[in-house]
Amino acid sequence: MGELLVLIDHDGEKPKKVSVQMLTKARELAEAAGDTVSAIWLGSGAAGAAATLGNFGAAKVYSWASEDAHGYVTLTQVEALQNVFESSGATNLLFASANFVKDVAARLAVRLDAAVITDVSDLASEDGRLVATKDVFGGSLSTTSQVRGDRKGLFGVKPNAFSAAESGGGAPEVVELDITPSDDAKKSKVVEVVAQASEGRPDVAEASIVVAGGRGLGEESGFRIIEQLADELGAAVGASRAATDAGWYPHRYQIGQTGRTISPALYLGAGISGAIQHRAGMQTSQIITCINKDSDAPIFQIADFGIVGDLYKVVPKLIEEIKARKA
Amino acid sequence: MKVIVPVKRVPDTATDKKLETDMTVDRDGVESVLCPVNEFSIEEAVRLKESMGAEVKALVVGPASAQSIVRKALSYGLDGAIQVTDDAVSGSDAIATARIIAAALQQEGFDLVIMGGQSTDARTSIVPAAVAEILGVPSLTYARKLEIDGDKVTVHRESEDGWHVIESSLPAVVSVVEAINEPRYPSFKGIMAAKSKPLDTKTVADLGIDAASVGMDNSPSQITAAQPPPPKGAGQKVEDDGTGAVGAKALADFLQQRKLI
């Protein structure tokens, strides 16, 4: 009986949504193969989250409750994962396909001669090996990939690729890792973490609903009604490149080929024409809606539901409609 | 100080992209361009040339036809370029490509490597960290700000809700995001000068790499199938009445019907 590893992405207290989504899928894959799921929690907080991890399918939690896990750049985590691979004899690891975690996976892959497959939207087990589906070229093509030969596999899972379901599993065994980072791993230090208020909104890559604004807003202050609409829907705010280039919204909220890629349950674009560069970051959304003055805008070609109209007229009334229906 | 900027040739986003039956990118009839994020990595390197007299070179892995991309990169003001061209590299995945880039960097020598944080085609983002690992140097990725002071390097690394200020030492591999600078346009003089700048062409053997460690058959991952995404049914379009009321009601009805509110 082997272990299927899941690297938990977390905020120090709770696992991120993508982490419980991964655990749910890992449980399904492990059960079919007669394996068990082991979660890996780097940094403090595993004790408080263990019950949740167990409830979503982890039989075991490897915990490294050291500040070194986040006080240095990438390499202390690589060393911890290398340790887990060696002690568990595991073949495969699922990780959140987010920028910082991908770096950890890339360096680990070189050390283990493992394969890394990022941005995975589906996973299946075929003849005892994992087969991954991913979207390439901004969602215009979908490919099936797997590990070549008998290497280990590191699979980066996109947020919202899987739905989370509790298994009712009990408290997992918590294994404390005993790791002393090497001097090399401590060469790059995190000296300050600058977090800007998100006003309680979810992260744009993880959110179930994303409301995005673009050039059609005309000015920076236009994002206020985008934020109001987002808050009414419990959504994250995104922006097109035109809006971030104009300095109306920070770059990290940019959705598109040179920004974030999102696959929420609902995307609502206001004042976004839907140039191919933007579509490359959002066209795998489950439901696409838009509000745009120009009925010929390309966004309508991929929208499930589009409103041809002035966003400054439609959005405030939409906020009222949503408020009324929620009441 | 020596700065190397690995650049990538990508299919133009606006063109219809396909894979060949062997799962490599079909380049026929598809316009190839310098990856847009490389305008930012090149700009950052050229600024180091201007501010501290750094020697700055491009590095590209690709067939002979990728030379147009190298000339484009040189037109921004880089001093020269290295191109690794060898049939043996065809079909390499991200990790195998990182091995080739790392070998070329090792042979050329460097203090700083500046890469794009994410290409517009494969978008894995893993090559910079993999290159750094192979070279045994720090990977300082997604930089929105880069400062060099002697052999100390400070990077503002873009995170999901802000950035991390990280400190490390050279030599290092840095990758950048678009927020880092405003790339210049190549000048006419730059475009003309690019044609005569030195370009070293290397094979895998020149780099001392075993051909059995790169290319499709030696890549750790493999693509076994490719298919277009399932077709989407035509959407609905509703014309607002100019007051917002009709549009808002229609959209709210749709969202409610889909249980999104």
XYZ file of all heavy atoms in Angstrom, chain A residues 16 73 99-100 102-103 106-107 111 115 137 139-140 142-146 148 188-189 191-192 194-196 233 241 251-252 254 256-261 280 287 295 303-308 317-318 325, chain B residues 13 118 123-124 126 129 133 137-139 141-142 157-158 160-168 178 216-217 219-220 222-227 229 232 235-238 240 243 247-248 253-254 256 258 261:
771
model
N -5.990 26.259 1.783
C -6.705 26.982 0.726
C -7.697 26.029 0.071
O -7.571 24.818 0.166
C -5.710 27.496 -0.314
C -4.885 28.646 0.203
C -4.137 29.298 -0.938
C -3.315 30.470 -0.425
N -2.434 31.007 -1.473
N 13.563 31.396 0.585
C 12.920 31.288 -0.718
C 13.057 29.869 -1.284
O 14.167 29.427 -1.568
C 13.532 32.310 -1.706
C 12.840 32.228 -3.062
C 13.429 33.720 -1.144
N 2.158 30.130 -8.546
C 3.534 30.501 -8.877
C 4.601 30.032 -7.891
O 5.571 29.394 -8.279
C 3.632 32.023 -9.033
C 3.028 32.476 -10.345
O 2.713 31.656 -11.199
N 2.861 33.771 -10.521
N 4.435 30.376 -6.608
C 5.508 30.054 -5.658
C 5.671 28.540 -5.510
O 6.779 28.031 -5.361
C 5.225 30.676 -4.282
C 5.436 32.177 -4.222
C 5.520 32.942 -5.376
C 5.555 32.826 -2.996
C 5.711 34.320 -5.326
C 5.756 34.201 -2.933
C 5.830 34.951 -4.093
N 4.954 26.261 -7.764
C 5.531 25.697 -8.990
C 7.055 25.751 -8.942
O 7.734 24.853 -9.449
C 5.036 26.478 -10.216
C 3.615 26.149 -10.630
C 3.411 26.570 -12.074
C 2.258 27.482 -12.262
N 2.035 27.865 -13.660
N 7.609 26.816 -8.354
C 9.066 26.905 -8.218
C 9.598 25.757 -7.378
O 10.638 25.167 -7.686
C 9.457 28.217 -7.510
C 9.424 29.415 -8.449
O 8.979 29.260 -9.593
O 9.854 30.500 -8.016
N 9.482 22.635 -9.418
C 10.491 22.613 -10.481
C 11.844 22.190 -9.921
O 12.546 21.352 -10.501
C 10.605 23.993 -11.127
N 12.227 22.768 -8.785
C 13.536 22.442 -8.211
C 13.544 21.006 -7.680
O 14.530 20.287 -7.813
C 13.915 23.454 -7.127
C 14.060 24.883 -7.696
C 14.786 25.824 -6.740
N 16.201 25.568 -6.740
C 17.165 26.495 -6.815
N 16.851 27.779 -6.902
N 18.439 26.158 -6.801
N 15.904 17.537 -8.716
C 16.594 16.685 -7.735
C 16.183 15.220 -7.841
O 16.989 14.319 -7.649
C 16.284 17.157 -6.317
C 16.962 18.448 -6.033
C 16.885 18.842 -4.596
N 17.458 20.196 -4.530
C 17.831 20.791 -3.424
N 17.697 20.174 -2.278
N 18.335 22.001 -3.469
N 8.987 14.071 -13.238
C 8.268 14.874 -14.227
C 7.398 15.885 -13.488
O 6.860 15.578 -12.427
C 7.388 13.980 -15.093
N -2.153 26.635 -24.758
C -2.431 27.755 -25.660
C -3.663 28.541 -25.201
O -4.568 28.833 -25.991
C -2.617 27.283 -27.107
C -1.389 26.647 -27.696
C -1.486 25.483 -28.428
C -0.137 27.213 -27.521
C -0.361 24.889 -28.986
C 0.993 26.623 -28.063
C 0.887 25.468 -28.798
N -6.241 27.683 -23.487
C -7.538 27.027 -23.540
C -8.009 26.709 -24.947
O -9.122 26.237 -25.138
N -7.159 26.915 -25.957
C -7.608 26.596 -27.317
C -7.317 25.142 -27.671
O -7.705 24.662 -28.727
C -6.984 27.554 -28.336
O -5.588 27.500 -28.294
N -6.520 21.103 -25.567
C -6.389 20.398 -24.308
C -5.517 19.174 -24.553
O -5.665 18.497 -25.570
C -7.806 20.047 -23.841
O -7.806 18.899 -23.068
N -4.555 18.912 -23.663
C -3.650 17.788 -23.884
C -3.731 16.789 -22.728
O -4.141 17.132 -21.628
C -2.173 18.228 -24.003
O -1.803 18.923 -22.822
C -1.945 19.116 -25.206
N -3.321 15.558 -23.024
C -3.229 14.513 -22.014
C -1.750 14.208 -21.826
O -1.040 14.002 -22.812
C -3.955 13.248 -22.515
O -5.253 13.627 -22.959
C -4.091 12.235 -21.403
N -1.281 14.229 -20.579
C 0.141 14.017 -20.314
C 0.335 12.978 -19.227
O -0.552 12.771 -18.391
C 0.824 15.291 -19.813
O 0.546 16.371 -20.618
N 1.509 12.390 -19.233
C 1.868 11.489 -18.148
C 3.382 11.455 -17.974
O 4.122 12.050 -18.757
C 1.313 10.091 -18.401
C 1.830 9.450 -19.677
C 1.170 8.109 -19.938
O -0.021 7.944 -19.765
N 1.982 7.146 -20.348
N 7.036 9.931 -18.109
C 7.706 8.978 -18.995
C 8.523 7.999 -18.150
O 9.266 8.427 -17.262
C 8.620 9.737 -19.957
C 9.189 8.892 -21.094
C 10.193 9.685 -21.918
N 9.586 10.900 -22.460
C 8.933 10.945 -23.627
N 8.804 9.876 -24.356
N 8.415 12.091 -24.047
N 18.822 32.552 0.260
C 17.839 33.566 -0.160
C 16.791 33.706 0.929
O 16.042 32.779 1.209
C 17.164 33.154 -1.464
O 18.129 32.758 -2.400
N 16.747 34.929 1.507
C 15.894 35.165 2.675
C 14.685 36.002 2.318
O 14.791 36.918 1.511
C 16.698 36.012 3.662
C 17.193 35.270 4.843
C 17.686 36.285 5.867
C 18.771 35.631 6.656
N 19.988 36.270 6.840
N 12.792 38.914 3.617
C 13.026 39.908 4.667
C 11.761 40.688 5.013
O 11.662 41.280 6.076
C 14.178 40.886 4.306
C 15.492 40.140 4.265
C 13.930 41.598 2.992
N 10.786 40.687 4.101
C 9.541 41.394 4.400
C 8.419 40.822 3.546
O 8.637 40.491 2.374
C 9.715 42.893 4.076
C 8.572 43.748 4.600
C 8.674 45.206 4.121
O 9.706 45.578 3.515
O 7.709 45.959 4.343
N 4.887 41.913 2.119
C 3.979 43.045 1.951
C 2.652 42.510 1.430
O 2.574 41.978 0.322
C 4.549 44.078 0.948
C 3.604 45.260 0.794
C 5.932 44.539 1.399
N 1.627 42.578 2.265
C 0.301 42.100 1.858
C -0.618 43.303 1.771
O -0.706 44.093 2.708
C -0.228 41.093 2.862
N -1.250 43.452 0.642
C -2.159 44.580 0.476
C -3.577 44.116 0.696
O -3.953 43.020 0.298
C -1.952 45.202 -0.899
C -0.576 45.831 -0.965
C -0.292 46.508 -2.284
O -0.747 46.057 -3.316
N 0.455 47.591 -2.252
N -21.608 39.643 -4.929
C -21.595 38.259 -5.395
C -20.610 37.390 -4.601
O -20.480 36.195 -4.869
C -21.200 38.213 -6.882
C -22.233 38.719 -7.887
C -21.576 38.969 -9.241
C -23.377 37.725 -8.035
N -5.672 43.613 -19.265
C -4.360 44.245 -19.354
C -4.476 45.739 -19.622
O -3.682 46.538 -19.126
C -3.532 43.574 -20.455
C -2.163 44.177 -20.533
C -1.217 43.400 -21.393
N 0.038 44.147 -21.477
C 1.070 43.759 -22.185
N 1.020 42.644 -22.865
N 2.164 44.482 -22.212
N -1.212 45.147 -11.095
C -0.852 44.137 -12.093
C -1.235 42.716 -11.676
O -1.604 41.892 -12.497
C 0.656 44.215 -12.353
C 1.186 43.096 -13.198
N 1.829 42.008 -12.664
C 1.103 42.877 -14.530
C 2.156 41.177 -13.637
N 1.729 41.680 -14.782
N -1.143 42.414 -10.370
C -1.366 41.020 -9.969
C -2.811 40.577 -10.172
O -3.119 39.401 -10.047
C -0.941 40.803 -8.519
C -1.732 41.599 -7.520
C -1.286 41.293 -6.085
N -2.026 42.124 -5.161
C -1.725 43.371 -4.873
N -0.668 43.928 -5.423
N -2.461 44.069 -4.045
N -4.309 41.096 -13.028
C -4.504 41.002 -14.478
C -4.800 39.572 -14.918
O -4.088 38.635 -14.566
C -3.256 41.492 -15.200
C -3.457 41.561 -16.713
C -2.141 41.607 -17.446
O -1.249 42.347 -17.086
N -2.024 40.799 -18.476
N -5.163 37.096 -18.125
C -4.824 37.032 -19.539
C -3.530 36.302 -19.776
O -2.960 35.717 -18.856
N -3.061 36.335 -21.004
C -1.917 35.520 -21.382
C -0.656 35.926 -20.632
O 0.243 35.113 -20.459
C -1.669 35.585 -22.883
C -1.166 36.931 -23.363
C -0.490 36.834 -24.715
O -0.457 35.784 -25.311
N 0.035 37.933 -25.190
N -0.545 37.161 -20.193
C 0.645 37.537 -19.441
C 0.299 37.784 -17.974
O 1.080 38.354 -17.232
C 1.329 38.788 -20.040
O 0.374 39.846 -20.091
C 1.844 38.511 -21.419
N -0.890 37.357 -17.559
C -1.281 37.524 -16.160
C -1.773 36.220 -15.579
O -1.213 35.161 -15.841
N -2.830 36.288 -14.798
C -3.353 35.094 -14.145
C -4.285 34.340 -15.088
O -4.914 34.943 -15.958
C -4.150 35.488 -12.886
C -3.461 36.517 -11.994
C -2.388 35.916 -11.124
N -2.903 35.073 -10.065
C -3.231 35.518 -8.845
N -3.138 36.789 -8.538
N -3.652 34.675 -7.915
N -4.364 33.026 -14.875
C -5.307 32.203 -15.618
C -6.370 31.732 -14.637
O -6.031 31.227 -13.574
C -4.597 30.990 -16.231
O -3.531 31.472 -17.030
C -5.550 30.177 -17.085
N -7.272 34.181 -23.353
C -6.305 33.136 -23.002
C -6.219 32.938 -21.489
O -5.735 31.918 -21.031
C -4.927 33.483 -23.562
N -18.947 29.351 -16.679
C -19.983 30.189 -17.282
C -19.395 31.585 -17.493
O -18.790 32.164 -16.584
C -21.233 30.276 -16.380
C -21.893 28.889 -16.265
C -22.229 31.305 -16.922
C -23.078 28.852 -15.335
N -21.840 45.642 -29.423
C -22.410 44.303 -29.616
C -21.522 43.429 -30.493
O -21.721 42.225 -30.572
C -23.811 44.397 -30.227
O -23.716 44.902 -31.544
N -19.314 34.259 -24.742
C -20.172 34.470 -23.569
C -21.391 33.560 -23.629
O -22.011 33.385 -24.676
C -20.608 35.929 -23.498
N -21.746 32.965 -22.471
C -22.990 32.211 -22.384
C -24.164 33.169 -22.305
O -25.261 32.864 -22.749
C -22.972 31.339 -21.114
C -21.851 30.316 -21.152
O -22.011 29.314 -21.862
O -20.805 30.547 -20.519
N -23.909 34.336 -21.716
C -24.971 35.322 -21.576
C -24.340 36.709 -21.590
O -23.486 37.011 -20.760
C -25.730 35.099 -20.263
C -27.100 35.713 -20.247
C -28.200 34.997 -20.694
C -27.278 37.027 -19.804
C -29.467 35.571 -20.690
C -28.543 37.600 -19.797
C -29.638 36.866 -20.246
N -24.744 37.534 -22.552
C -24.146 38.863 -22.661
C -25.191 39.959 -22.716
O -26.271 39.769 -23.284
N -24.859 41.089 -22.096
C -25.741 42.255 -22.147
C -25.077 43.320 -23.000
O -23.936 43.717 -22.731
C -25.980 42.838 -20.725
C -26.549 41.778 -19.778
C -26.878 44.080 -20.808
C -27.915 41.258 -20.152
N -25.794 43.771 -24.025
C -25.306 44.892 -24.816
C -25.843 46.155 -24.148
O -27.054 46.414 -24.165
C -25.803 44.812 -26.272
C -25.217 45.968 -27.087
C -25.424 43.477 -26.892
N -27.789 48.834 -11.429
C -29.114 48.186 -11.367
C -28.967 46.700 -11.069
O -29.800 46.101 -10.388
C -29.856 48.391 -12.705
C -30.292 49.841 -12.921
C -31.795 49.921 -13.156
C -32.354 51.297 -12.857
N -31.875 52.355 -13.769
N -27.889 46.090 -11.586
C -27.650 44.667 -11.317
C -27.379 44.456 -9.823
O -27.862 43.485 -9.226
C -26.468 44.172 -12.159
C -26.070 42.694 -11.995
C -27.214 41.760 -12.354
C -24.844 42.367 -12.872
N -32.944 40.069 -4.679
C -33.179 38.620 -4.770
C -32.566 37.860 -3.596
O -33.007 36.768 -3.260
C -32.610 38.080 -6.086
C -33.470 38.500 -7.262
C -32.755 38.304 -8.572
N -33.348 39.177 -9.580
C -33.846 38.742 -10.723
N -33.812 37.473 -11.012
N -34.364 39.598 -11.584
N 0.018 34.703 -30.332
C -1.226 34.341 -29.644
C -2.443 34.438 -30.556
O -3.397 33.678 -30.411
C -1.429 35.263 -28.421
O -0.299 35.122 -27.578
C -2.664 34.908 -27.644
N 6.716 33.944 -17.262
C 5.752 32.999 -17.831
C 5.674 33.236 -19.334
O 5.417 34.353 -19.762
C 4.374 33.233 -17.207
C 3.300 32.273 -17.669
C 1.925 32.682 -17.167
O 1.371 33.687 -17.575
N 1.368 31.900 -16.266
N 3.350 28.319 -20.764
C 2.961 28.982 -19.524
C 3.176 28.137 -18.279
O 2.432 28.252 -17.318
C 1.483 29.401 -19.605
C 1.221 30.282 -20.802
C -0.244 30.557 -21.000
N -0.710 31.572 -20.096
C -1.971 31.963 -20.026
N -2.879 31.418 -20.771
N -2.323 32.909 -19.203
N 4.206 27.277 -18.277
C 4.410 26.462 -17.084
C 5.067 27.262 -15.965
O 4.898 26.941 -14.797
C 5.309 25.239 -17.368
O 6.631 25.702 -17.642
C 4.800 24.416 -18.534
N 7.984 27.072 -14.956
C 8.910 26.304 -14.116
C 10.354 26.336 -14.603
O 11.250 25.894 -13.886
C 8.468 24.831 -13.953
C 8.432 24.105 -15.297
C 7.111 24.757 -13.260
C 8.152 22.607 -15.161
N 13.182 28.323 -12.290
C 13.552 27.628 -11.050
C 14.328 26.349 -11.364
O 15.284 26.000 -10.667
C 12.307 27.305 -10.221
N 18.144 25.440 -10.229
C 18.446 24.212 -9.485
C 19.600 23.447 -10.134
O 20.503 22.978 -9.453
C 17.193 23.322 -9.406
C 17.410 22.000 -8.693
C 17.782 22.163 -7.219
O 17.344 23.154 -6.598
O 18.521 21.298 -6.699
N 22.146 27.601 -8.039
C 22.103 29.012 -7.602
C 20.680 29.371 -7.177
O 19.733 28.646 -7.479
C 22.587 29.969 -8.733
C 24.014 29.624 -9.153
C 21.639 29.951 -9.937
N 20.495 30.517 -6.469
C 19.148 30.915 -6.049
C 18.234 31.219 -7.236
O 18.695 31.693 -8.287
C 19.394 32.197 -5.236
C 20.832 32.147 -4.845
C 21.534 31.407 -5.937
N 16.932 30.943 -7.060
C 15.926 31.351 -8.059
C 15.057 32.426 -7.425
O 14.389 32.186 -6.420
C 15.074 30.152 -8.496
O 14.651 29.380 -7.384
N 12.138 34.583 -8.362
C 11.193 34.609 -9.473
C 10.100 35.659 -9.309
O 9.869 36.158 -8.220
C 10.536 33.230 -9.613
O 10.048 32.840 -8.334
C 11.527 32.185 -10.109
N 9.419 35.961 -10.422
C 8.280 36.894 -10.461
C 8.654 38.274 -9.905
O 7.893 38.895 -9.157
C 7.060 36.319 -9.723
C 6.790 34.891 -10.120
C 7.044 33.841 -9.251
C 6.335 34.591 -11.402
C 6.855 32.530 -9.635
C 6.139 33.281 -11.800
C 6.399 32.253 -10.903
O 6.206 30.964 -11.294
N 9.215 40.129 -4.984
C 8.660 38.957 -5.672
C 7.137 39.016 -5.586
O 6.566 38.928 -4.490
C 9.209 37.713 -4.967
C 8.885 36.405 -5.625
C 9.423 35.280 -4.755
N 9.350 34.006 -5.440
C 9.139 32.849 -4.809
N 9.006 32.819 -3.484
N 9.069 31.732 -5.489
N 6.495 39.157 -6.732
C 5.036 39.351 -6.733
C 4.315 38.127 -6.169
O 4.534 37.000 -6.609
C 4.540 39.644 -8.141
C 3.067 40.053 -8.138
C 2.655 40.750 -9.420
O 2.337 40.065 -10.405
O 2.652 41.997 -9.442
N 0.332 36.646 -4.342
C -1.091 36.748 -4.670
C -1.723 38.012 -4.092
O -2.725 38.499 -4.604
C -1.829 35.507 -4.151
C -1.612 34.320 -5.072
C -1.823 32.978 -4.397
O -2.352 32.951 -3.270
O -1.453 31.960 -5.008
N -1.161 38.526 -2.989
C -1.786 39.707 -2.391
C -0.792 40.840 -2.139
O -1.024 41.689 -1.296
C -2.501 39.325 -1.084
C -1.554 38.678 -0.088
O -0.352 38.537 -0.406
O -2.007 38.331 1.017
N 0.305 40.846 -2.856
C 1.299 41.905 -2.677
C 2.647 41.440 -3.181
O 2.748 40.992 -4.314
N 3.666 41.527 -2.332
C 4.964 41.012 -2.746
C 5.817 40.670 -1.527
O 5.536 41.135 -0.421
C 5.711 42.009 -3.636
C 5.997 43.338 -3.005
C 7.084 43.674 -2.254
C 5.166 44.517 -3.071
N 6.986 44.975 -1.852
C 5.823 45.521 -2.334
C 3.944 44.814 -3.693
C 5.290 46.798 -2.186
C 3.408 46.088 -3.541
C 4.090 47.064 -2.801
N 6.810 39.803 -1.756
C 7.787 39.481 -0.734
C 9.085 40.197 -1.104
O 9.495 40.152 -2.261
C 8.058 37.979 -0.689
C 6.883 37.171 -0.218
N 6.950 35.826 0.008
C 5.604 37.528 0.076
C 5.772 35.392 0.429
N 4.935 36.402 0.461
N 9.693 40.840 -0.125
C 11.013 41.420 -0.361
C 12.011 40.327 -0.029
O 12.036 39.826 1.102
C 11.253 42.657 0.523
C 12.640 43.244 0.238
C 10.157 43.700 0.292
N 12.804 39.914 -1.027
C 13.761 38.845 -0.771
C 15.177 39.306 -1.081
O 15.402 40.103 -1.984
C 13.420 37.539 -1.541
C 13.333 37.773 -3.044
C 12.121 36.961 -1.043
C 12.991 36.509 -3.822
N 16.111 38.812 -0.280
C 17.521 39.166 -0.442
C 18.324 37.908 -0.691
O 18.104 36.889 -0.046
C 18.047 39.844 0.827
C 17.593 41.276 0.946
C 18.059 41.915 2.254
O 18.796 41.270 3.025
O 17.648 43.059 2.485
N 19.256 38.027 -1.617
C 20.094 36.881 -1.918
C 21.427 37.384 -2.444
O 21.730 38.581 -2.336
C 19.385 35.993 -2.935
O 20.045 34.765 -3.048
N 5.512 41.660 -15.711
C 5.417 42.891 -16.505
C 5.461 44.167 -15.685
O 5.742 45.234 -16.211
C 4.110 42.881 -17.284
C 4.086 41.875 -18.395
C 2.766 41.921 -19.132
O 1.735 42.026 -18.456
O 2.786 41.860 -20.355
N 12.680 14.840 -27.006
C 11.386 14.300 -26.599
C 11.505 12.991 -25.819
O 10.938 12.836 -24.747
C 10.512 14.095 -27.829
C 9.123 13.593 -27.459
S 8.111 13.313 -28.904
C 7.902 14.968 -29.501
N 12.309 12.042 -26.349
C 12.331 10.707 -25.739
C 13.010 10.687 -24.376
O 12.906 9.703 -23.650
C 13.027 9.714 -26.681
C 12.202 9.489 -27.942
O 11.012 9.834 -27.930
O 12.770 8.995 -28.935
N 12.671 13.351 -22.188
C 12.003 14.304 -21.302
C 11.228 13.540 -20.235
O 10.614 12.518 -20.531
C 11.037 15.169 -22.112
O 11.763 16.041 -22.950
N 11.243 14.052 -18.993
C 10.539 13.339 -17.917
C 9.023 13.239 -18.128
O 8.404 12.304 -17.643
C 10.857 14.173 -16.676
C 12.091 14.947 -17.016
C 12.052 15.176 -18.485
N 5.556 13.348 -20.844
C 5.194 13.145 -22.249
C 3.723 13.477 -22.477
O 2.878 13.212 -21.630
C 5.493 11.718 -22.688
C 4.795 10.652 -21.849
C 5.118 9.247 -22.353
O 5.386 9.037 -23.527
N 5.093 8.280 -21.447
N 3.471 14.061 -23.644
C 2.091 14.333 -24.046
C 1.641 13.159 -24.898
O 2.334 12.768 -25.834
C 2.015 15.645 -24.855
C 2.505 16.817 -23.994
C 0.583 15.905 -25.332
C 2.574 18.133 -24.745
N 0.496 12.576 -24.547
C 0.058 11.397 -25.283
C -1.108 11.688 -26.224
O -1.374 10.909 -27.129
C -0.372 10.283 -24.306
O -1.316 10.841 -23.382
C 0.820 9.763 -23.522
N -1.804 12.786 -26.002
C -2.925 13.111 -26.882
C -3.237 14.599 -26.788
O -2.913 15.245 -25.791
C -4.173 12.308 -26.474
N -3.834 15.128 -27.846
C -4.264 16.528 -27.832
C -5.618 16.613 -28.507
O -5.864 15.934 -29.505
C -3.258 17.403 -28.571
N -6.502 17.382 -27.930
C -7.821 17.515 -28.534
C -8.345 18.928 -28.311
O -8.019 19.564 -27.313
C -8.810 16.490 -27.951
C -8.954 16.474 -26.425
C -7.846 15.699 -25.705
O -7.386 14.671 -26.180
N -7.383 16.210 -24.577
N -10.941 21.748 -27.147
C -11.898 21.694 -26.044
C -13.298 21.425 -26.578
O -13.569 21.684 -27.755
C -11.793 23.073 -25.409
C -11.209 23.951 -26.469
C -10.383 23.078 -27.352
N -18.609 24.935 -27.525
C -19.558 25.645 -26.654
C -20.774 26.012 -27.485
O -20.641 26.430 -28.625
C -18.909 26.948 -26.167
C -18.250 26.822 -24.804
C -17.866 28.193 -24.274
C -18.937 28.676 -23.313
N -18.438 29.273 -22.102
N -24.160 31.488 -27.203
C -24.704 32.163 -26.027
C -25.886 33.042 -26.373
O -26.262 33.194 -27.533
N -26.464 33.597 -25.335
C -27.592 34.516 -25.508
C -27.099 35.947 -25.395
O -26.201 36.237 -24.608
C -28.582 34.295 -24.369
C -29.753 33.421 -24.700
C -30.603 33.264 -23.449
O -30.236 32.524 -22.539
N -31.716 33.971 -23.403
N -27.703 36.832 -26.154
C -27.330 38.243 -26.104
C -28.604 39.060 -25.880
O -29.589 38.868 -26.585
C -26.701 38.608 -27.450
C -25.644 39.708 -27.380
C -25.349 40.244 -28.753
C -24.077 39.715 -29.357
N -23.699 40.381 -30.620
N -28.582 39.918 -24.880
C -29.763 40.742 -24.579
C -29.387 42.214 -24.701
O -28.376 42.654 -24.146
C -30.299 40.445 -23.153
C -31.396 41.426 -22.776
C -30.792 39.008 -23.054
N -29.824 45.983 -23.836
C -30.378 46.804 -22.753
C -31.230 47.928 -23.367
O -31.075 48.281 -24.533
C -29.246 47.377 -21.902
C -29.761 48.170 -20.718
O -30.624 47.631 -19.989
O -29.329 49.325 -20.536
N -31.452 52.226 -19.999
C -31.539 52.652 -18.594
C -30.790 51.686 -17.679
O -30.575 51.981 -16.510
C -33.008 52.673 -18.115
O -33.471 51.309 -18.009
C -33.900 53.449 -19.074
N -31.242 45.137 -19.022
C -30.024 44.341 -18.982
C -29.802 43.734 -17.610
O -29.476 42.547 -17.486
N -29.976 44.548 -16.561
C -29.736 44.077 -15.197
C -30.696 42.954 -14.831
O -30.304 41.951 -14.233
C -29.857 45.233 -14.207
N -31.708 37.366 -13.777
C -32.519 36.155 -14.012
C -31.623 34.975 -14.385
O -31.785 33.866 -13.882
C -33.525 36.375 -15.165
C -34.705 37.249 -14.731
O -34.873 37.455 -13.506
O -35.438 37.729 -15.623
N -30.671 35.254 -15.294
C -29.768 34.196 -15.756
C -28.946 33.646 -14.584
O -28.819 32.434 -14.408
C -28.835 34.739 -16.855
C -27.780 33.759 -17.301
C -28.079 32.738 -18.193
C -26.478 33.858 -16.811
C -27.107 31.827 -18.597
C -25.503 32.953 -17.213
C -25.817 31.934 -18.105
N -29.620 33.773 -11.414
C -30.459 33.088 -10.441
C -30.823 31.687 -10.938
O -30.786 30.713 -10.200
C -31.728 33.905 -10.197
C -32.468 33.469 -8.949
C -33.498 34.494 -8.517
O -34.037 35.246 -9.336
N -33.780 34.530 -7.226
N -29.099 29.877 -12.872
C -27.920 29.011 -12.741
C -27.488 28.850 -11.274
O -26.395 28.358 -11.004
C -26.749 29.589 -13.547
C -27.002 29.671 -15.042
C -27.201 28.280 -15.625
N -27.396 28.324 -17.049
C -26.438 28.027 -17.941
N -25.248 27.671 -17.548
N -26.676 28.089 -19.228
N -26.740 33.202 -7.730
C -27.117 34.129 -6.644
C -28.264 33.491 -5.865
O -28.969 32.632 -6.383
C -27.533 35.551 -7.124
C -28.473 35.505 -8.327
C -26.310 36.366 -7.435
C -28.970 36.875 -8.777
